[in-house]
Each structure stands twice: as structure tokens, then as C-alpha cells.
Amino acid sequence: MNAENLLAYKGLDDTPDDLQFYGYDPNDPPPFKDSDNNVVVSPIYHNETTAEILIILQTVDPLRSSTEMGIDVYLAALGLVENMLREQME
């Protein structure tokens, strides 16, 4: 929104008078009204041992750098926990 932006049409409006309607389109449905976008995740109850917690903390560093917004870190931790649960079930 820089005034020197060549894409700005006829300059910028410092005090827009229609700010309360910004992003509002009367022809579109309101967002999230009657939508079925709720996700329910059932909890998994597991009494982990101190050894399991240490393995998770030593294997997956939650503060490591990520180029995928932490999704790769989450998936690594999830995979580790899934393997631990699978081994206990066998």
C-alpha cells in the first residue's frame, strides 16, 4: 500500500470511508455459516513411561528449524509415537 506503488490506482486513500465494509460481499454467504468444517479428534489415552518420553525428546527436537511451518517436525513426532504404540500392541 505504498503510494509509490505503480499498481496503485489513482493513489491511495488515507482515510477510506467504507472501511466497515472491507471484505464484505453482500452476494456471498457469510463465512462459516452452517458449514460442516468442524473436526473432532478422539483422544488416545496412553500411560507413557519416563523412558518413552525421553526417547521422544531425544529423537524429535520441537525447536529445530523447519521449512514446512513445523509440519515435518509434527509428522516426525507422530510417526515415533505411532511406532511406540504399534510395538506395545504386538
Side-chain angles (χ1 to χ4, degrees):
M1 299 301 295
N2 189 329
E4 296 174 9
N5 184 353
L6 298 176
L7 299 175
Y9 182 72
K10 295 184 183 179
L12 299 175
D13 190 2
D14 291 332
T15 55
D17 55 354
D18 61 347
L19 190 58
Q20 69 184 20
F21 297 110
Y22 177 79
Y24 173 72
D25 185 353
N27 297 324
D28 282 343
F32 304 117
K33 183 177 182 181
D34 299 329
S35 68
D36 189 20
N37 66 347
N38 296 325
V39 176
V40 177
V41 178
S42 302
I44 297 175
Y45 297 102
H46 172 66
N47 295 327
E48 61 276 341
T49 64
T50 305
E52 290 173 332
I53 293 172
L54 287 175
I55 291 171
I56 294 170
L57 291 175
Q58 290 172 352
T59 307
V60 180
D61 180 10
L63 300 178
R64 76 178 187 202
S65 47
S66 171
T67 58
E68 300 175 26
M69 299 178 64
I71 295 172
D72 54 338
V73 179
Y74 170 77
L75 290 176
L78 180 63
L80 183 61
V81 171
E82 285 177 338
N83 288 336
M84 287 179 164
L85 290 173
R86 192 174 300 115
E87 288 174 4
Q88 288 182 356
M89 299 295 276
E90 293 175 351

